[in-house]
């Protein structure tokens, strides 16, 4: 029964990352437009969608978040404001860099960054939040460093952009862990709203010297990017988290960069080098090693090993 119960949540989680796996298509369709302009309207339209959804369907959650914050101490309020604002800026940086990389460097670089991101998040969690790491996770971190060295020896620019994408999102995830007591949709809406308030007056800066006309094709693709590739997978991901563990979601998230790699080679005819292939294989192996959990056998009062729980019990 538990296995059946979990199926819709697994389906939602898989669907979210499969959708994100296809994100190169709307971004490539916007390749003729400045990256800053794509970011500007992606944030604007995402904020509008999230505010409408929140006001129509999530008023109770907004009120609960507001009252919880109102009843908290001054230091908690300051922490909420600081990390909400910081989260918005980090997400904005991440989106802008990713858009630029996909359209002006290659899809492989963007994909590599999201394979690297979970391990960087673990390192930051260890350094900033004092989270413990298992020996196999340290080994995986070592492999990922070797992978970065291989990429850096061949294409330093690609490595630096991959690190910028991965670090901005890793730091963003750290801010979300600090604010984990609050509703994620409420947080994202506030983060993007604050981000747009800050970048809103700088439209001419984001447009740059471009003379390209913002026609129906532009707004159609940006709308698809905002609704189908931002808001929808976010809701699916949050629905999946209601039943699945963050560890299960962490495994599913690798669907995204793997699909990006396949699309890069099969559809967009991108080329690669032997060094890059070796680096990607190493980072993929490190991801597998990082997620391995070695279970210790429990013993009863007589010193006899206790049999493990059934698969149905473990799937929650």
């Amino acid at each position: 029964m538990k296995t059946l119960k979990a199926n819709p949540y697994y389906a939602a989680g898989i669907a979210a990352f499969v959708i994100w796996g296809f994100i190169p298509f709307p971004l490539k369709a916007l390749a003729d437009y400045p990256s800053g302009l794509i970011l500007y309207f992606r944030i604007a339209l995402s904020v509008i969608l999230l505010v409408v959804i929140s006001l129509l369907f999530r008023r109770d959650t907004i009120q609960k978040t507001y009252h919880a914050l109102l009843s908290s101490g001054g230091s908690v309020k300051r922490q909420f404001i600081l990390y909400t604002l910081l989260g918005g800026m980090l997400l904005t940086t991440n989106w802008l860099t990713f858009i630029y990389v996909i359209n002006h460097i290659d899809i492989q670089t963007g994909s590599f960054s999201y394979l690297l991101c979970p391990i960087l998040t673990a390192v930051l969690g260890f350094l900033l939040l004092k989270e413990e790491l298992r020996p196999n996770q340290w080994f995986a971190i070592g492999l990922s460093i070797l992978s970065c060295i291989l990429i850096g020896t061949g294409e330093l620019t690609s490595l630096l952009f991959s690190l910028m994408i991965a670090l901005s999102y890793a730091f963003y995830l750290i801010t979300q862990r600090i604010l984990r007591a609050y509703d994620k949709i409420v947080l994202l809406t506030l983060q993007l709203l604050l981000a747009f308030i800050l970048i809103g007056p700088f439209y001419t800066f984001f447009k740059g010297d471009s003379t390209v006309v913002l026609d129906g094709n532009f707004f159609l693709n940006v709308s698809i990017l905002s609704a189908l590739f931002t808001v929808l997978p976010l809701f699916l991901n949050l629905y999946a988290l209601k039943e699945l563990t963050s560890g299960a979601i962490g495994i599913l998230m690798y669907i995204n960069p793997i699909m990006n790699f396949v699309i890069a080679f099969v559809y967009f005819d991108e080329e690669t080098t032997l060094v890059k292939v070796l680096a990607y294989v190493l980072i993929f192996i490190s991801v597998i090693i990082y997620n391995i959990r070695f279970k210790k056998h429990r013993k009863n009062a007589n010193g006899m090993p206790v049999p493990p729980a059934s698969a149905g019990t473990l799937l929650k």
Side-chain angles (χ1 to χ4, degrees), residues 141-157:
I141 290 167
L143 283 180
S144 67
I145 292 172
L146 179 58
S147 178
C148 289
I149 292 172
L150 288 173
I151 291 289
T153 55
E155 298 180 24
L156 183 59
T157 301

Side-chain angles (χ1 to χ4, degrees), residues 151-265:
I151 291 289
T153 55
E155 298 180 24
L156 183 59
T157 301
S158 295
L159 174 62
L160 292 177
F161 272 107
S162 289
L163 287 174
M164 186 180 296
I165 294 171
L167 280 171
S168 59
Y169 198 67
F171 274 112
Y172 173 75
L173 292 177
I174 293 295
T175 66
Q176 298 313 287
R177 288 185 186 179
I178 294 171
L179 299 175
R180 60 183 175 270
Y182 302 98
D183 181 81
K184 291 182 176 64
I185 291 291
V186 172
L187 280 177
L188 181 69
T189 305
L190 286 174
Q191 288 162 354
L192 293 184
L193 185 59
L194 289 172
F196 189 73
I197 289 172
L198 291 176
I199 70 172
F202 302 101
Y203 174 81
T204 54
F205 171 78
F206 284 98
K207 184 179 180 182
D209 298 328
S210 174
T211 57
V212 66
V213 178
L214 301 185
D215 54 10
N217 176 67
F218 172 82
F219 286 106
L220 173 62
N221 281 291
V222 172
S223 298
I224 292 171
L225 181 63
S226 302
L228 185 60
F229 290 91
T230 303
V231 176
L232 175 60
L234 174 70
F235 275 100
L236 289 170
N237 194 36
L238 290 178
Y239 175 77
L241 279 168
K242 288 182 178 180
E243 187 71 20
L244 304 184
T245 64
S246 57
I249 292 293
I251 297 296
L252 293 179
M253 76 175 291
Y254 297 115
I255 294 172
N256 177 5
I258 290 170
M259 286 187 62
N260 288 169
F261 276 123
V262 173
I263 289 170
F265 297 123

Side-chain angles (χ1 to χ4, degrees), residues 250-288:
I251 297 296
L252 293 179
M253 76 175 291
Y254 297 115
I255 294 172
N256 177 5
I258 290 170
M259 286 187 62
N260 288 169
F261 276 123
V262 173
I263 289 170
F265 297 123
V266 174
Y267 189 84
F268 291 104
D269 297 322
E270 289 190 3
E271 297 180 355
T272 191
T273 63
L274 183 60
V275 173
K276 266 190 175 183
V277 170
L278 182 57
Y280 296 152
V281 169
L282 275 178
I283 193 68
F284 187 70
I285 291 172
S286 71
V287 165
I288 295 172

